[in-house]
Amino acid sequence: MSVRTVGAGLVAALAAAAVTATALTAPASAAGTTAPASATAGAGRHDATRQVIEQVVRDGAPGVLAQARDRYGVWNGGAGVADRTTGRERLPQDRFRVGSLTKTFVATVILQLEAEGRLDLDDSVEKWLPGVVRGNGHDGRRVTVRQILNHTSGIYGVTADPGFQEKVFGPGFLQHRYDTWTPEQLVAIAMAHKPDFAPGTSWNYSNTNYVLAAMIIERVTGRPYGEAVERRIIKPLGLGATSVPGTDPRMPRPSGRAYSTLGGDPDDPATRVHDVTELNPSLAWAAGEMISSTADLQRFTRALMTGRLLPRAQMRELTTTVADPDDPSAAYGLGIVKRELSCGTEVWGHTGGIHGSGSVAVSTRRGDHTLAANVNGDWAGGLDEILDAEFCGKKPDGAAPAPVAPLAP
């Protein structure tokens, strides 16, 4: 899921529910790279990325996995471990929970439905979900589909609710990790609070927006939103490692483990690191439940940015952005973020944080250079640094990376 996607970098803490955790000393394996099947002209191109990945593990992440693709071919990098108990290294084919990268899939389906004339981005939420967005100042008659996709709806984010945070992010997770949450329950929690602002007057990242977006997909198609994602995106692109798990708490193989301190003090050596691999992903639902791999995430992001999934008119809608008031380098489109990196390079994509897993997938606008990466400890961070290394050649500076925010882009 995602608690925020842009400000302070693509992987800033996106919600008050952010679970920062303790640094832990994880055994680091040598960062492995798979040389691209291309001319040696690209040799050394990913050295900075490799060095940053190794630094993230030295700074406390259990393991990091990355894959990049450019005109020279495909490069795989990894460091640390997939499993702290067995010491098994991370593998390029490993699957992991992608959190708010789910949002980009959901927005793509909405835009496909618009291209088919089955809905309009300027439809009110009330048209498709009568009576659902009501209470404490919320009014679905005043909120459009476009506004929920670009986070200008003002709708309160469910992951900011203190009670939800206690059950889902804190120590209560261990008791409630297998609970099933319905989308109606998630929306009802949000409706118990006042809106963040009047629709269209500001910007704020809200996971409730994408719960509503998927509910609209289901109302329009008459089928579960996951089936639409599978039929329209996963199968056509051959994304064999990508899935919409529903309520299944298990991870498909191959995969490593995911680790969290559940909000424990990162400076307290007594803080315990928990294995949080298994969880009922309905706690995130369409705001962040999906599972994928670095190769699949790159293929999807590249296909999206090169127009394979959307007609030209919908591509314009996708890439029409709203500025993040807290970060002038970032702007949010429809389920996708435009980000200017430290060297001026512009990339498009999303990040995702969920218990024990922080992910990123980005592409240049032309789709000629892509990157996907994952960190399997939600206290660790490092994804912003990996982006700057891959696209700007920026090497480690010794500073500790910002922590990953669970249920964050």
Side-chain angles (χ1 to χ4, degrees), residues 317-341:
E317 300 283 9
L318 175 81
T319 56
T320 298
T321 59
V322 178
D324 173 5
D326 298 320
D327 185 355
S329 71
Y332 204 94
L334 302 187
I336 197 165
V337 179
K338 178 178 71 173
R339 175 79 188 281
E340 183 178 320
L341 301 177

Side-chain angles (χ1 to χ4, degrees), residues 1 97 164 167-168 173 175-182 185-186 245-251 276-285 288-291 354-355 407:
M1 221 160 165
R97 300 188 191 279
F164 186 83
K167 284 186 176 180
V168 170
F173 167 81
Q175 178 183 353
H176 296 283
R177 68 194 301 167
Y178 298 111
D179 291 358
T180 293
W181 297 80
T182 67
Q185 285 177 308
L186 298 176
T247 59
D248 190 342
R250 300 165 298 177
M251 286 293 295
V276 294
T277 308
E278 287 199 357
L279 58 82
N280 186 326
S282 66
L283 63 85
W285 203 53
E289 71 169 296
M290 289 179 65
I291 293 168
I354 193 166
H355 301 71
L407 300 182

Side-chain angles (χ1 to χ4, degrees), residues 27-398:
S29 64
T33 62
T34 301
S38 63
T40 57
R45 182 172 176 81
H46 308 283
D47 283 353
T49 312
R50 175 182 53 78
Q51 291 176 33
V52 167
I53 288 171
E54 292 171 340
Q55 184 63 49
V56 172
V57 171
R58 285 194 293 270
D59 287 338
V64 182
L65 192 62
Q67 186 183 94
R69 176 172 172 168
D70 58 19
R71 63 192 179 96
Y72 297 108
V74 175
W75 172 88
N76 288 295
V81 297
D83 189 320
R84 297 175 68 236
T85 301
T86 67
R88 197 268 270 180
E89 295 183 2
R90 303 204 70 180
L91 305 173
Q93 61 269 37
D94 275 351
R95 303 173 188 191
F96 45 84
R97 300 188 191 279
V98 304
S100 281
L101 282 154
T102 304
K103 291 180 172 69
T104 313
F105 288 82
V106 171
T108 300
V109 172
I110 289 277
L111 286 164
Q112 289 177 342
L113 292 171
E114 189 206 34
E116 296 162 9
R118 301 176 69 180
L119 58 74
D120 192 290
L121 292 179
D122 293 320
D123 287 344
S124 70
V125 171
E126 180 76 9
K127 174 178 178 178
W128 296 105
L129 304 174
V132 172
V133 179
R134 292 290 178 90
N136 292 300
H138 287 97
D139 187 349
R141 295 169 297 185
R142 301 175 57 208
V143 179
T144 67
V145 175
R146 186 192 311 276
Q147 288 168 340
I148 63 173
L149 295 183
N150 67 11
H151 296 296
T152 60
S153 70
I155 293 172
Y156 183 88
V158 57
T159 46
D161 175 81
F164 186 83
Q165 289 179 14
E166 174 60 30
K167 284 186 176 180
V168 170
F169 300 115
F173 167 81
L174 299 175
Q175 178 183 353
H176 296 283
R177 68 194 301 167
Y178 298 111
D179 291 358
T180 293
W181 297 80
T182 67
E184 291 79 12
Q185 285 177 308
L186 298 176
V187 173
I189 291 171
M191 294 302 104
H193 298 266
K194 293 180 179 180
D196 294 327
F197 49 81
T201 63
S202 188
W203 183 92
N204 191 43
Y205 195 89
S206 169
N207 284 300
T208 313
N209 285 327
Y210 276 76
V211 174
L212 293 166
M215 291 173 73
I216 290 172
I217 290 172
E218 296 191 343
R219 186 63 59 91
V220 173
T221 65
R223 304 293 298 169
Y225 95 91
E227 289 188 13
V229 171
E230 291 170 2
R231 182 173 65 84
R232 292 167 172 271
I233 301 173
I234 294 174
K235 290 182 179 179
L237 295 181
L239 306 181
T242 302
S243 59
V244 184
T247 59
D248 190 342
R250 300 165 298 177
M251 286 293 295
R253 296 182 179 179
S255 63
R257 311 302 294 176
Y259 300 100
S260 176
T261 60
L262 299 176
D265 182 355
D267 297 322
D268 184 351
T271 297
R272 181 180 175 187
V273 174
H274 301 272
D275 185 321
V276 294
T277 308
E278 287 199 357
L279 58 82
N280 186 326
S282 66
L283 63 85
W285 203 53
E289 71 169 296
M290 289 179 65
I291 293 168
S292 192
S293 68
T294 54
D296 275 13
L297 289 175
Q298 285 195 91
R299 187 179 306 170
F300 165 63
T301 306
R302 187 167 55 251
L304 180 61
M305 295 313 297
T306 55
R308 287 185 58 192
L309 295 171
L310 297 173
R312 185 171 299 177
Q314 279 66 44
M315 286 298 296
R316 286 195 297 270
E317 300 283 9
L318 175 81
T319 56
T320 298
T321 59
V322 178
D324 173 5
D326 298 320
D327 185 355
S329 71
Y332 204 94
L334 302 187
I336 197 165
V337 179
K338 178 178 71 173
R339 175 79 188 281
E340 183 178 320
L341 301 177
S342 63
C343 57
T345 295
E346 182 181 285
V347 294
W348 292 79
H350 216 289
T351 54
I354 193 166
H355 301 71
S357 181
S359 306
V360 64
V362 298
S363 171
T364 54
R365 183 63 183 83
R366 295 185 298 174
D368 57 353
H369 189 178
T370 56
L371 170 80
N374 176 263
V375 182
N376 64 346
D378 61 25
W379 65 87
L383 297 182
D384 277 347
E385 290 79 2
I386 293 171
L387 289 182
D388 262 345
E390 178 61 28
F391 291 92
C392 300
K394 187 176 180 180
K395 296 185 178 181
D397 59 10

